[in-house]
Structures are given as C-alpha cells and as structure tokens.
Amino acid sequence: NAGVTQTPKFQVLKTGQSMTLQCAQDMNHEYMSWYRQDPGMGLRLIHYSVGAGITDQGEVPNGYNVSRSTTEDFPLRLLSAAPSQTSVYFCATVGGRDYGYTFGSGTRLTVV
Amino acid sequence: ILNVEQSPQSLHVQEGDSTNFTCSFPSSNFYALHWYRWETAKSPEALFVMTLNGDEKKKGRISATLNTKEGYSYLYIKGSQPEDSATYLCAFKGPNSGYALNFGKGTSLLVTP
C-alpha cells in the first residue's frame, strides 16, 4: 500500500524553466492538496482539489498550476520557475474532515 | 489566514525527561485541531485529530489536550526518548475552510541520551 507517491524527490531548475511535480495516491481519497515548506514558516497551501475536475487556490497559488483529471493524480506545474519557488513541496490527501492528512515524501526543489 | 502559534520554537531535553509544548489558535470558528510528527528527511505523520473541547488523546507516551474556549492545545511526551526527536506541527481547521489546514511553524524537539 503505497499511500501517496511524489516524484521527483529532488530537482534543480534554472530560472524560467518549467516542470511538473507528480503526486499519485492509491487511497481513493477525493481531497488532494499541495503545500510548500520554507524555513521559518509553517506549511502553506498552494492549491487543492476536492475531486476529479475540481481545483481551487490556496494561500500561495501564484506561479503554479494544477489539474485533476483522475482521482489518483494531482500534478503541480511550475510555469516559469523563479528562485522564490525554491522550497520543499508536499502533496497530501485526506479521507474526510475528521481524519489526519497523509503526506507524500516531498520534493526538494532548487531554482537557480 | 488564521494565526496558529506554537511554542517553544525549539526544545532540547535529556532522555527520560517529560516535556510539553503549546499550540494556540483562534478560539472562535473552531472545527478541528491536528497534531503531526515530522522526522528529518521524512514526511509529516498524523498523531491526533481533536474536535471537542476537553478532548484528551493518547498514543503510547504521547498525549494531547484541547481547550477550544481559550484556543490552545498541549502536546505531552512522557519519558522522552531519542527517537522522539522530531518537529511537532499543529494545524487548525475552521468550519468553513473545507479540508484545508492552517499550520503552525512547529516545535523542534531534540532528545539526547
């Protein structure tokens, strides 16, 4: 039972490049989300989805795009990477409002 | 953006010591309070989800209490062990925030032998 799988684990990008962070879950959860973790700050919500075909913005959505074509997958796209997007990114899913989140293993992204 | 504060920011205790940390959150419009344990190089793992005022939950040597009227939760670790070294995150959910959580910055605990 894999839970939440994130790829890649590490990535270095040049400013202006684009890339997609992948997130897949096998828990059949409707809710999926992307957070970023920066030093000295709490996890901040980027985008989330409450089901296939439905996405919405979180606290820090600028520079990121998402789509949800299936229940299992929720990719995060960086359209034109900037150094300010250097961070650790976590995908998370939850089965209901009274349950704890299950997090992926994270992607450490550096933009130079 | 809802303000969730955790204190202390970091803590260093000796093996066998008991310790506790605090999470403060808005006392109005409360739905749930989460605690997560986050070990270095791993992903956060859920410890507790608390929804009722006066809730007390326990998992092994770790327990948590909740006071929604005054807006705080305590996490206790009894007889700390080196394997308890981690960052402990709390996260607040309001009734209108759907599934989204507002996370605190965490308390970093180091337990030395």
Side-chain angles (χ1 to χ4, degrees), chain B residues 6-8 10-11 13 19-23 35 62 73-77 80 84 86-89 106-109:
Chain B
Q6 290 189 247
S7 63
S10 63
L11 199 51
V13 301
T19 187
N20 66 86
F21 4 104
T22 305
C23 174
W35 281 101
I62 305 177
S73 176
Y74 293 139
L75 189 80
Y76 300 92
I77 303 179
S80 302
D84 295 327
T87 296
Y88 292 84
L89 303 174
T107 293
S108 177
L109 174 67

Side-chain angles (χ1 to χ4, degrees), chain A residues 1 12 15-16 26 35 38 42 44 62 64 77 82 89 94 97:
Chain A
N1 188 1
V12 178
T15 297
D26 62 2
Y35 283 84
D38 300 297
R44 292 184 293 167
N62 292 341
Y64 306 96
R77 297 183 189 83
Y89 292 85
V94 67
R97 293 190 74 195

